Amino acid sequence: MASVSANFVCSRTSVRLLNQMMTSKSLRLATVGWGRTPGFPRLTSSRFQISCAAKKETVDKVCEIVRKQLALPADKEITPQTTFTDLGADSLDTVEIVMGLEEEFDITVQEDNQDNISCIQEAADLIEQLVASKS
Amino acid sequence: MATKPTRREVLSLFRSLMRTAREFTDYNIREYTKRRTVDAFRHNRKLSDPAEVAAAFADGKSQLGVAKRQAVVYSLYAPSIKSVMEM
């Protein structure tokens, strides 16, 4: 993740993206700094993990689309780690979900990328990556 | 007769059909294509006989050809206003 964000800072100069990267980069720098003292990082490190991987809104949108596609009841719990097969989706459902995500975020997912998507977190990460590389 | 298509090929055909459906300018045809591909693939999901599977796959491929050509033709006569369903 760190190397990817470094690339963005070098090649793209849009201010908005820089701000985004700055906030995430500053969070990561803080983690490195705190690593020296034992006991302290435990509380903060789990939080940093989530915010650096994919934005919460993206994960929420993905969950929403998955829920609608598989017609899940409203009380069914969906965490970022739930795989699609857990929710009772077969490969056709997975392709449909990816299509829905492509439409929602206006991206194009390649064949080989699509095979790697198995859980919601991975889908959100891939979306973030594609959206960032497109803009 | 063609040999039984692999899972990847089948999914690839499914994706191609859905992608082609997106290119239609007409809302109704777009929705129909998506609906029909989903229904057809689900209906044929349990097929096990290789000959049947190959026949269904060949049928799907020819339909994909039809859809692609029609998408081009329809785009020549696309209406300028959006359908009310899309608003």
Side-chain angles (χ1 to χ4, degrees), chain B residues 25-84:
Chain B
T25 42
D26 188 332
Y27 169 82
N28 292 319
I29 301 180
R30 192 163 58 234
E31 292 300 307
Y32 169 74
T33 313
K34 285 198 260 190
R35 212 165 47 228
R36 183 76 180 93
T37 57
V38 167
D39 287 348
F41 273 79
R42 279 198 199 286
H43 186 258
N44 290 335
R45 208 156 62 126
K46 300 286 191 304
L47 288 181
S48 52
D49 180 25
E52 280 182 30
V53 172
F57 186 73
D59 186 36
K61 278 196 103 79
S62 65
Q63 293 299 322
L64 176 64
V66 169
K68 279 190 170 161
R69 289 190 292 271
Q70 289 305 312
V72 174
V73 170
Y74 267 91
S75 67
L76 296 173
Y77 301 101
S80 48
I81 46 176
K82 282 201 293 188
S83 153
V84 69

Side-chain angles (χ1 to χ4, degrees), chain A residues 90-93 95-96 98-99 102-103 108-111 114-115, chain B residues 7-8 10-12 14-16 18-19 22 34 38 41-42 45:
Chain A
D90 63 352
S91 49
L92 283 181
D93 284 318
V95 176
E96 272 185 75
V98 172
M99 284 286 135
E102 281 189 14
E103 267 194 60
T108 314
V109 179
Q110 303 302 325
E111 281 276 354
Q114 203 206 312
D115 289 339
Chain B
R7 158 170 265 180
R8 265 188 86 93
V10 170
L11 290 178
S12 173
F14 187 66
R15 270 163 72 82
S16 308
M18 297 293 262
R19 285 249 166 88
R22 273 206 294 227
K34 285 198 260 190
V38 167
F41 273 79
R42 279 198 199 286
R45 208 156 62 126

Side-chain angles (χ1 to χ4, degrees), chain A residues 62-72 84 87 97 120:
Chain A
V62 173
C63 286
E64 187 59 43
I65 289 178
V66 170
R67 214 182 267 277
K68 198 167 53 144
Q69 182 61 49
L70 301 175
L72 300 169
F84 296 131
L87 301 167
I97 289 171
I120 294 186

